[in-house]
Amino acid sequence: MTKSSPENNGLRAAIIPVTPFQQNCTLLWDDATKVGAVVDPGGDLDQIKAAIEELGIRIEKIVLTHGHIDHAGGAAELKETLGVDIEGPHGADRFLLDNLAKQGAAYGIPARPVTPDRWLEEGETVTIAGHVFEVLHCPGHSPGSVVLVNRENKLIMMGDVLFRGSIGRTDFPYGDHDALITAIKTKLLTLGDDYAFICGHGPTSTIGNERQTNPFLT
């Protein structure tokens, strides 16, 4: 578990790499209230639950950035365990969430289909322990991928849209490279260079670093 602690307003984050894909499941919580959310519980729920207990967090919701197995595979079971709602992704990923069991069988990851309690749309917000994240619909890696932006702390939950030095895969039948690049350039690079982001795999980065060094964007 890797902890990342934005300095402003008590918002904290911890990253738990899960599944053979080493997907960055993230816990977000308020340091004062110890209330928070699980973002993208792809699997290895014992590790996720152990981190929640270690940090002493009360989880109020689960948030999904998109419908791939490594991000959503544990959502149905964790929802039942914690008794909380699931928010996200965009409804265009419904077909992926409906077929999580099939996705999981292909990779040896147990999973069940899941239907979010709330689908997310561009311009809406997700509130985690009082911290407001704006929803950006950024298709390309998957049709329903969303990115969550907290302007107060300049923190972005990126999913698999943008990585340090790379971008989300678009070689799936439903992938769209042009749409992904357009979303990154028109919705993400317009944010300040000092916005930090937690992505779905690998190390964190900033918008400024990717603007200057990411080979897919320069």
Side-chain angles (χ1 to χ4, degrees), residues 166-215:
S166 189
I167 60 173
R169 288 177 56 183
T170 58
D171 57 337
F172 308 108
Y174 47 79
D176 189 329
H177 178 83
D178 290 343
L180 181 63
I181 294 298
T182 296
I184 291 170
K185 289 185 174 180
T186 62
K187 298 182 181 183
L188 301 179
L189 295 190
T190 56
L191 299 170
D193 284 351
D194 54 347
Y195 274 71
F197 66 81
I198 298 173
C199 44
H201 305 265
T204 61
S205 187
T206 65
I207 293 296
N209 184 66
E210 299 316 304
R211 188 195 311 278
Q212 296 170 13
T213 66
N214 193 308

Side-chain angles (χ1 to χ4, degrees), residues 11-208:
L11 182 63
R12 298 290 181 262
I15 299 169
I16 307 118
V18 296
T19 81
F21 294 98
Q22 289 296 279
Q23 190 276 124
N24 289 334
C25 174
T26 303
L27 303 181
L28 292 174
W29 74 98
D30 183 85
D31 201 38
T33 64
K34 299 298 183 182
V35 173
V38 181
V39 181
D40 289 347
D44 293 334
L45 296 187
D46 287 346
Q47 294 182 39
I48 297 171
K49 288 184 284 187
I52 293 169
E53 184 174 354
E54 177 185 341
L55 294 166
I57 305 168
R58 179 176 67 81
I59 298 299
E60 63 177 356
K61 67 182 64 175
I62 295 166
V63 181
L64 300 180
T65 63
H66 63 290
H68 284 153
I69 182 67
D70 53 331
H71 289 253
E77 183 178 345
L78 190 62
K79 171 185 170 67
E80 291 179 356
T81 300
L82 299 177
V84 297
D85 286 350
I86 297 174
E87 298 187 9
H90 186 279
D93 268 8
R94 181 188 291 272
F95 75 104
L96 290 170
L97 296 178
D98 287 345
N99 287 283
L100 279 174
K102 185 176 180 180
Q103 287 189 59
Y107 296 106
I109 300 173
R112 302 192 338 245
V114 63
T115 300
D117 298 279
R118 176 192 173 199
W119 299 99
L120 298 177
E121 297 281 350
E122 175 94 19
E124 294 182 343
T125 60
V126 171
T127 301
I128 298 173
H131 299 274
V132 178
F133 288 78
E134 298 175 16
V135 177
L136 302 178
H137 180 210
C138 296
H141 176 65
S142 75
S145 287
V146 295
V147 170
L148 306 176
V149 180
N150 179 261
R151 293 185 181 273
E152 196 171 22
N153 291 280
K154 296 185 176 180
L155 176 67
I156 305 169
M157 299 306 300
M158 189 66 73
D160 283 358
V161 173
L162 180 65
F163 300 104
R164 179 182 286 189
S166 189
I167 60 173
R169 288 177 56 183
T170 58
D171 57 337
F172 308 108
Y174 47 79
D176 189 329
H177 178 83
D178 290 343
L180 181 63
I181 294 298
T182 296
I184 291 170
K185 289 185 174 180
T186 62
K187 298 182 181 183
L188 301 179
L189 295 190
T190 56
L191 299 170
D193 284 351
D194 54 347
Y195 274 71
F197 66 81
I198 298 173
C199 44
H201 305 265
T204 61
S205 187
T206 65
I207 293 296

